[in-house]
Amino acid sequence: MFPVHEQTKAGNLSGNTLEVLRERYLRKNDAGKVIESPDGLFCRVARSVASAERLYGCGSRSAQAEETFYRLMRGLEFLPNSPTLMNAGTDVGQLSACFVVPVEDSIDSIFNALKSMAKIHQTGGGTGFSFTHLRQKDDLVSSTKGRASGPVSFMKIFDAATGVIVQGGRRRGANMGILSCTHPDIIEFIEAKERGGFENFNLSVSVTDEFMRKAALNERYALVNPRTGKNTRTVRAGDVFHRIAEAAWRTGDPGLI
């Protein structure tokens, strides 16, 4: 174990940085009082991350790895992601920042994904979803003979739930929502942020090489019902691409993936 160094000097960290550390990353007691210095944070994280060496028969390298990682962080040469800074060496122990959660076309899958999202956000992670498998708006729901509300309506539930869950008790949750360019509700998705809401989402349209080629020539391509796999209608790719660009200019979303 390397010796405990003096608390990282404020001169190495800006006032804003120290404030963010106190607010989000430094450990607190049950009364909410900060009980960890920046240097203590670096020690805690380095010790926890280096302990993995022992899992692979490299216990003798653990102390060296701990000191190396500590010095990199203390010198601000490298810093890990937020969940690692928050959770390493704690009972939470969740160090991953990004999770992809599947969403299939059923109520069970949708709300299981919502539950997973809530748990991930609670530990400081972010979540990504493709809503492409959800049936289009006004499509048949065979079990009830009713009509589907479409992926954008379900995204509103995910957005609302995120708004009331604070990640690790320290920051708001964050989501990525994706819809394929071939989904019949693609225009509603593209314009979702222009219509208000979705403050807890980044949005991206999933595009193909074929779509991009047809967009350059403004040729038509097929929108496909995700439930049946059948073409519903054709639209001009250039027109769809123009809508993406216009919406991104106005709101910052959607991107392309």
Side-chain angles (χ1 to χ4, degrees):
M1 182 66 60
F2 54 90
V4 177
H5 295 270
E6 72 278 9
Q7 178 174 336
T8 299
K9 295 181 177 63
N12 296 332
L13 302 171
S14 70
N16 285 340
T17 300
L18 290 169
E19 183 61 31
V20 171
L21 283 172
R22 285 190 289 265
E23 185 69 23
R24 294 186 175 180
Y25 300 110
L26 301 182
R27 294 183 66 187
K28 298 179 175 69
N29 61 19
D30 291 342
K33 182 180 179 181
V34 172
I35 57 173
E36 185 177 56
S37 69
D39 197 68
L41 178 149
F42 297 146
C43 289
R44 167 173 58 82
V45 172
R47 185 176 303 114
S48 176
V49 171
S51 68
E53 297 288 338
R54 291 190 282 273
L55 299 177
Y56 301 96
C58 302
S60 61
R61 297 212 309 254
S62 180
Q64 180 184 354
E66 181 179 343
E67 182 169 6
T68 299
F69 194 31
Y70 165 81
R71 293 188 186 281
L72 286 171
M73 288 188 292
R74 190 170 187 270
L76 304 182
E77 297 175 71
F78 174 82
L79 291 172
N81 61 19
S82 285
T84 300
L85 293 173
M86 291 175 180
N87 301 328
T90 72
D91 292 338
V92 177
Q94 196 287 96
L95 309 186
S96 297
C98 303
F99 295 78
V100 177
V101 181
V103 183
E104 301 298 332
D105 189 34
S106 71
I107 288 294
D108 284 347
S109 178
I110 292 167
F111 282 91
N112 281 336
L114 189 69
K115 178 182 177 181
S116 295
M117 180 202 77
K119 287 183 166 293
I120 291 166
H121 286 181
Q122 193 175 38
T123 61
T127 44
F129 312 90
S130 173
F131 296 97
T132 297
H133 296 299
L134 300 189
R135 68 193 68 191
Q136 68 202 63
K137 190 174 184 178
D138 294 328
D139 195 24
L140 177 67
V141 179
S142 57
S143 60
T144 63
K145 306 307 177 188
R147 296 292 169 180
S149 58
V152 174
S153 67
F154 281 109
M155 286 169 56
K156 293 177 182 177
I157 300 173
F158 285 75
D159 186 62
T162 301
V164 298
I165 298 170
V166 180
Q167 290 187 315
R170 303 173 189 180
R171 60 177 184 169
R172 295 177 64 182
N175 302 300
M176 167 63 82
I178 293 173
L179 197 71
S180 170
C181 62
T182 62
H183 195 285
D185 292 345
I186 189 60
I187 300 302
E188 183 183 9
F189 177 84
I190 290 168
E191 298 176 349
K193 283 202 171 182
E194 293 188 82
R195 298 172 183 177
F198 299 106
E199 295 178 356
N200 304 302
F201 265 96
N202 290 325
L203 304 179
S204 280
V205 176
S206 173
V207 298
T208 62
D209 290 344
E210 179 186 12
F211 172 84
M212 296 303 290
R213 285 194 294 269
K214 290 190 173 184
L217 301 172
N218 202 21
E219 294 179 348
R220 305 189 77 85
Y221 77 103
L223 301 182
V224 181
N225 184 318
R227 178 178 63 86
T228 64
K230 295 181 179 180
N231 296 350
T232 60
R233 67 184 191 279
T234 63
V235 294
R236 291 197 175 275
D239 294 343
V240 174
F241 188 84
H242 182 76
R243 285 176 180 259
I244 293 171
E246 286 285 332
W249 181 77
R250 291 192 182 98
T251 69
D253 281 294
L256 298 182
I257 191 168

